[in-house]
Amino acid sequence: MWLVFALISGAFYTAQGLITRNILRGNKDAWAFSFYFSAVGALVSLPFMLANIKIGTQIAPWALMIVVGCLVVLQNFLSFKSANTLEASLQGSITKFRLVWVFLLGIIVIHEQFSLLKLVGTLTTVLAGSIILNKFRKPSSLTGVAFAFTATIVYGIIIILYKYLFSSFNSASLTFFIFLIPALLNVIIMPHAFERIKTMFREQHVPVLLACGLGGFANLAMNQSLAMGEASRALVIIEAFLVITLIGEHLFLKEKSHLPTKIVAVGLATLGAILIRIV
């Protein structure tokens, strides 16, 4: 059964990434989209949280949850902003760097065990990133690459903090609040928030709600797959869907430039991610 949830998660993440790129390319409002991603994700995960509630009862876990919520706002903004100028397959390749930071921070901060296989995966992923940086040197492309890389660093920090939050929250409750808190923070800190939110809904409500809904369900399916005790195999399958992203981008979004570079980068990034995840 874990395999079914892993396949669903990978398929939904792939579809969400392609639709998101289609929505945001051309410098569309990434911050308003970030609000919808969090708000719809909270709505999707709410029934699952209510069916199995486990939340912290002390101040410290909630304070940490708010800190993580702020980091998620930053990570989402950077990630979606990169989609303005960066194709989905390239963004997905760079996103694999989050596993590098999780690996390094895990060793440094929480003293996780070193693995030679993970080190090889890390170096392979770094090679994929180097190929992308070497090929895409236009200012607009470099901006997207910089946003995507920075988002992976923030994500790595978030994942390490998750390990502390799981002592007070279960996966369903953590998923809900990690969507809800950023949605509320976006409304508070985004300039002209209500006007921008209404504009995006008026212009693109169908693809926006579809992409965000797919993202929410993909996250839930991944958590369910991990909860069944087959974490390594499930994550390997989900990571491998980046290859499908490249195919979908070529066929449906008609983004066919630099195809050889994309194939090499996607292949190396996927291999690196699998080597990091497989242990």
Side-chain angles (χ1 to χ4, degrees):
M1 196 63 182
W2 67 269
L3 178 59
V4 174
F5 283 110
L7 291 172
I8 291 172
S9 179
F12 281 8
Y13 273 130
T14 299
Q16 179 252 312
L18 292 171
I19 296 171
T20 298
R21 166 61 178 165
N22 190 51
I23 293 169
L24 294 180
R25 60 181 170 180
N27 207 31
K28 297 291 178 59
D29 195 340
W31 203 341
F33 182 83
S34 180
F35 162 78
Y36 279 107
F37 187 80
S38 297
V40 174
L43 289 174
V44 167
S45 58
L46 177 60
F48 298 90
M49 189 273 290
L50 293 176
N52 184 24
I53 298 176
K54 181 193 173 186
I55 59 176
T57 57
Q58 299 182 358
I59 294 176
W62 284 103
L64 182 58
M65 177 71 83
I66 293 173
V67 171
V68 171
C70 293
L71 290 172
V72 170
V73 170
L74 175 61
Q75 189 265 332
N76 283 345
F77 173 78
L78 292 169
S79 179
F80 294 136
K81 192 66 179 173
S82 72
N84 287 151
T85 57
L86 210 58
E87 290 94 332
S89 61
L90 293 173
Q91 186 187 35
S93 299
I94 295 171
T95 298
K96 302 305 182 191
F97 261 80
R98 70 193 192 277
L99 305 177
V100 174
W101 310 129
V102 170
F103 168 55
L104 295 176
L105 289 172
I107 293 173
I108 296 169
V109 177
I110 57 179
H111 309 295
E112 289 188 341
Q113 187 175 1
F114 174 82
S115 165
L116 182 59
L117 203 58
K118 285 187 176 183
L119 177 61
V120 174
T122 295
L123 294 175
T124 306
T125 307
V126 170
L127 179 59
S130 301
I131 290 171
I132 293 171
L133 282 173
N134 185 60
K135 187 66 177 180
F136 294 88
R137 293 178 174 175
K138 293 180 181 178
S140 60
S141 297
L142 277 179
T143 299
V145 170
F147 279 135
F149 268 116
T150 307
T152 66
I153 299 173
V154 179
Y155 182 92
I157 297 170
I158 291 169
I159 293 301
I160 295 300
L161 295 178
Y162 273 5
K163 295 180 183 292
Y164 297 101
L165 287 173
F166 272 125
S167 61
S168 301
F169 299 84
N170 61 13
S171 61
S173 299
L174 180 62
T175 300
F176 170 72
F177 285 108
I178 228 64
F179 277 126
L180 178 65
I181 292 172
L184 297 174
L185 289 173
N186 276 319
V187 172
I188 294 170
I189 66 177
M190 181 169 50
H192 312 292
F194 292 105
E195 179 182 341
R196 293 165 71 175
I197 289 168
K198 286 190 293 184
T199 298
M200 177 159 277
F201 185 84
R202 184 173 61 250
E203 294 177 352
Q204 302 187 82
H205 62 278
V206 173
V208 166
L209 295 178
L210 178 58
C212 296
L214 287 169
F217 280 114
N219 199 25
L220 287 166
M222 181 184 70
N223 289 340
Q224 184 61 40
S225 179
L226 299 179
M228 292 181 172
E230 297 288 349
S232 295
R233 285 190 286 176
L235 291 170
V236 163
I237 289 171
I238 293 169
E239 298 295 353
F241 267 84
L242 180 58
V243 177
I244 308 301
T245 298
L246 175 59
I247 296 170
E249 171 185 283
H250 189 78
L251 294 177
F252 301 115
L253 299 184
K254 309 301 181 184
E255 295 181 324
K256 302 180 180 182
S257 61
H258 307 294
L259 184 60
T261 300
K262 290 178 182 178
I263 291 173
V264 173
V266 166
L268 288 171
T270 302
L271 176 61
I274 290 172
L275 290 173
I276 294 171
R277 294 287 204 186
I278 207 167
V279 179

